[in-house]
Amino acid sequence: MAEAWIIDACRTPRGIGKPEKGALAHLHPQHLGATVLKAIAERNDLNTAEVDDIVWGTSAQRGTQKGDLGRMAALAAGYDIRSSAVTLDRFCGSGITSVNMAATSIMAGMEDCTIGGGTEMMSLYGAFADQSPFIDSDNLDLREMHPQPHQGVCGDAIATLEGIDREAVDALAVVSQQNADRAIKEGRFDKSLVPVHNPDGSLALDQEQFPRPQTTMESLAGLDPSFERLADYPLDDAGTTFRALVKKKFPDLDINHVHHAGNSSGVVDAAAAVLMASPEYAKAQGWQPRARIVAMANMGDDPTLMLNAPVPAARKVLAKAGMSLDDIDLFEINEAFSVVAERFIRHLDLDREKVNVNGGAMALGHPIGATGSILIGTMVDELERADKQFGLVTMCAAGGMAPAVIIERV
């Protein structure tokens, strides 16, 4: 099997995903995608006519995010019309999946140069509120088979089942903010970060907008749980609630609501791109690889709890690579909710100093379809900075799924 080399990765800063506050919220989603695609082409003197495929992740493919955003972003970036593109949706896992699929075609020997990436503008989500698959009253057969609550309610249910209390999830949120603050001050993101400009050329955003480095255990203690009232919100005329959906599978569970805005992932807008090539093509271009794909895996788990698949996904990708946890130098587990990362650390008995060392989505935000590609780029940067060899990236996704990838610094 051929190798897939990671040549470069870049991303936008993450803008607050609120129309009234976000520095990127006024832009079209394809503009964010075009920003990173243009940057990665310019940074590597890429002949875009020779890009075999662009695989793009966008979860909410509605409104201005519909219509194969990857292709439209490539056209907007000035790519040659011969560089094709496809856009996929694995919910939160889309950004890892897009890179994995783009790498797979190279490893299969079918293509030589591909780009994986993603875009998500969560500032648009208010317009999508009535289109959520988790409140679809027209799909009651599936709801009966596999009740799927809101992810925040799932996070609280998992914390209750695992005996993970409010103090533990808050403590991890504080660490995330501290690590992100250190990373920003030390310039650890600078290699991948590209500024976003408005169509008129003026600067829209060149730094992270979401972090709150002033966060403390005391400030988090003052926040009310975010999902307690939501758990009892009626979803249909019959009065079905998210809490009732959980109780279909766990009738005796009395949910302890521990998650709030401070220990949940931030709502943000962003895009990211990862350039990959076969060794032969890379050498012909004079490119030096930064990393290579070692192994990839996908995993499903209970859709009612929804967020637990990263642990078995990590074990599966390690088995595919013939590696153990001790072989991995750094881990990136998306902080969709604090309990996801906390459970991941506990179940795999990980050294906390190896996990999300530059902060995570609680501090930096989670632009759904773009996050996985951001994390892969962050991992490449950190393996180089810290002179480490192997990194594992995984994340939970709605529907009870998790993609995973192991990369090796070259």
Side-chain angles (χ1 to χ4, degrees):
M1 184 169 57
E3 287 192 341
W5 285 359
I6 294 177
I7 305 303
D8 198 11
C10 68
R11 66 173 179 87
T12 69
R14 281 160 279 204
I16 291 173
K18 302 288 184 181
E20 67 279 7
K21 296 180 181 179
L24 304 177
H26 63 290
L27 297 170
H28 194 286
Q30 75 182 24
H31 185 82
L32 294 191
T35 295
V36 292
L37 286 172
K38 184 177 181 180
I40 210 156
E42 291 177 346
R43 284 158 56 127
N44 297 281
D45 194 22
L46 174 64
N47 179 359
T48 61
E50 296 182 357
V51 176
D52 292 307
D53 206 8
I54 298 165
V55 185
W56 214 244
T58 302
S59 184
Q61 294 182 35
R62 302 185 287 278
T64 50
Q65 293 195 156
K66 68 176 184 291
D68 194 353
L69 187 56
R71 171 64 169 173
M72 301 308 147
L75 293 174
Y79 275 45
D80 190 283
I81 59 173
R82 288 169 286 183
S83 58
S84 185
V86 63
T87 301
L88 58 82
D89 172 17
R90 199 195 293 272
F91 300 108
C92 298
S94 301
I96 291 179
T97 298
S98 65
V99 173
N100 284 357
M101 287 189 171
T104 296
S105 61
I106 294 173
M107 296 168 78
M110 300 302 292
E111 294 174 342
D112 287 304
C113 181
T114 62
I115 297 173
T119 303
E120 202 85 38
M121 292 193 66
M122 299 190 74
S123 55
L124 299 171
Y125 271 40
F128 304 155
D130 62 347
Q131 301 178 48
S132 169
F134 309 113
I135 60 173
D136 186 357
S137 59
D138 296 325
N139 198 9
L140 298 180
D141 288 345
L142 180 58
R143 181 190 287 182
E144 188 63 30
M145 291 172 60
H146 295 292
Q148 298 180 60
H150 183 279
Q151 296 98 317
V153 178
C154 294
D156 288 341
I158 292 167
T160 305
L161 289 166
E162 298 279 341
I164 298 174
D165 59 20
R166 169 76 180 254
E167 183 177 4
V169 290
D170 280 0
L172 193 62
V174 172
V175 170
S176 182
Q177 293 284 353
Q178 291 171 343
N179 286 351
D181 186 48
R182 178 186 62 195
I184 291 168
K185 289 176 177 176
E186 293 182 0
R188 296 188 184 187
F189 300 139
D190 292 356
K191 192 168 188 176
S192 292
L193 207 62
V194 296
V196 180
H197 291 89
N198 293 308
D200 66 3
S202 61
L203 181 66
L205 186 66
D206 63 355
Q207 59 186 338
E208 302 289 353
Q209 193 182 15
F210 189 79
R212 295 153 293 182
Q214 71 279 10
T215 299
T216 63
M217 289 293 287
E218 290 72 26
S219 65
L220 294 184
L223 298 177
D224 293 329
S226 295
F227 306 107
E228 187 167 10
R229 290 180 61 187
L230 180 64
D232 296 313
Y233 183 81
L235 304 177
D236 52 34
D237 293 339
T240 305
T241 65
F242 289 129
R243 192 183 306 278
L245 295 180
V246 174
K247 283 187 172 291
K248 278 181 174 287
K249 291 288 291 289
F250 303 94
D252 299 324
L253 184 64
D254 184 14
I255 299 175
N256 178 29
H257 294 280
V258 298
H259 288 96
H260 49 73
N263 59 29
S264 304
S265 56
V267 174
V268 294
D269 301 331
V274 180
L275 174 63
M276 289 167 286
S278 65
E280 295 75 20
Y281 187 84
K283 291 172 184 175
Q285 310 311 308
W287 289 339
Q288 294 295 319
R290 298 180 62 192
R292 72 177 185 95
I293 304 292
V294 176
M296 300 170 282
N298 296 297
M299 196 74 194
D301 204 274
D302 184 356
T304 299
L305 292 176
M306 200 174 293
L307 312 177
N308 279 345
V311 170
R315 290 179 172 140
K316 184 176 181 179
V317 77
L318 285 165
K320 284 180 174 291
M323 301 173 72
S324 72
L325 287 166
D326 291 338
D327 295 320
I328 304 300
D329 299 299
L330 296 170
F331 296 84
E332 285 286 342
I333 166 67
N334 186 44
E335 297 171 351
F337 300 92
S338 185
V339 73
V340 176
E342 183 65 26
R343 182 181 185 276
F344 188 80
I345 292 168
R346 294 187 185 194
H347 276 247
L348 297 177
D349 192 24
L350 300 179
D351 178 352
R352 291 176 183 268
E353 297 301 315
K354 294 183 176 182
V355 182
N356 296 358
V357 297
N358 293 321
M362 290 186 285
L364 296 160
H366 173 26
I368 310 295
T371 301
S373 303
I374 291 175
L375 295 183
I376 290 169
T378 297
M379 179 63 78
V380 173
D381 287 346
E382 185 59 22
L383 288 173
E384 291 176 342
R385 188 201 69 82
D387 192 22
K388 302 294 184 181
Q389 186 174 6
F390 291 106
L392 189 156
V393 183
T394 188
M395 61 199 306
C396 61
M401 299 182 288
V405 62
I406 294 173
I407 66 172
E408 179 183 16
R409 180 173 66 91
V410 176

